[in-house]
Amino acid sequence: MATVSVDLASFVTVQEVSGTSSTGIGSTSNVGSQAPVTKTPMATPGTLLTVDIQAENTKGLANTLTATVTDPSGSSGFAGQATITWDEGDSGVAWIQFTGFPRQADQSTETGECTLSMQSSGEDVSVRWFTV
């Protein structure tokens, strides 16, 4: 069974969850050590930004996936990072959630987007990410 560790949580909540409450189909990527992926998840207007990540180690080889969210404004207003670790023979699914983003610098506007970067340590990992 995959394990999730929170590596960094600066002004954002990072946690393991069991699924998503999103009603959408999400976006899919294959993330590898030689094929990192960077995306810009955006909140639905009128809702607080939440990013849920589902990752599956389809090949069952020992591997890790590191997912990082950062402030796209460049002001370093927030950052969060978690790592999913699979042992040899583990092809399980794990979930990470990033939520609780701070307000923007004007202190009245909710954060509507973030930069999401993902990279594995080995073979490709199948990733689907959702905004809630």
Side-chain angles (χ1 to χ4, degrees):
M1 184 168 169
T3 59
V4 175
S5 61
V6 175
D7 306 318
L8 172 67
S10 177
F11 301 107
V12 63
T13 301
V14 183
Q15 61 189 348
E16 180 177 10
V17 293
S18 60
T20 184
S21 60
S22 174
T23 57
I25 61 170
S27 298
T28 304
S29 297
N30 286 323
V31 179
S33 62
Q34 300 299 314
V37 172
T38 301
K39 300 290 184 179
T40 305
M42 298 173 65
T44 301
T47 63
L48 298 176
L49 178 63
T50 296
V51 180
D52 291 336
I53 298 170
Q54 174 194 43
E56 182 176 10
N57 182 26
T58 58
K59 296 183 180 176
L61 301 173
N63 206 348
T64 63
L65 174 77
T66 301
T68 307
V69 295
T70 54
D71 185 351
S73 73
S75 67
S76 300
F78 61 85
Q81 184 177 74
T83 300
I84 301 171
T85 302
W86 292 273
D87 293 329
E88 190 70 29
D90 183 1
S91 59
V93 174
W95 287 84
I96 302 169
Q97 182 179 74
F98 298 95
T99 191
F101 292 88
R103 294 181 185 270
Q104 294 180 16
D106 67 6
Q107 296 302 310
S108 62
T109 306
E110 297 292 343
T111 296
E113 66 183 41
C114 65
T115 300
L116 170 63
S117 304
M118 299 174 285
Q119 185 166 7
S120 76
S121 64
E123 296 290 326
D124 286 0
V125 174
S126 176
V127 176
R128 183 177 298 263
W129 56 273
F130 304 83
T131 54
V132 179

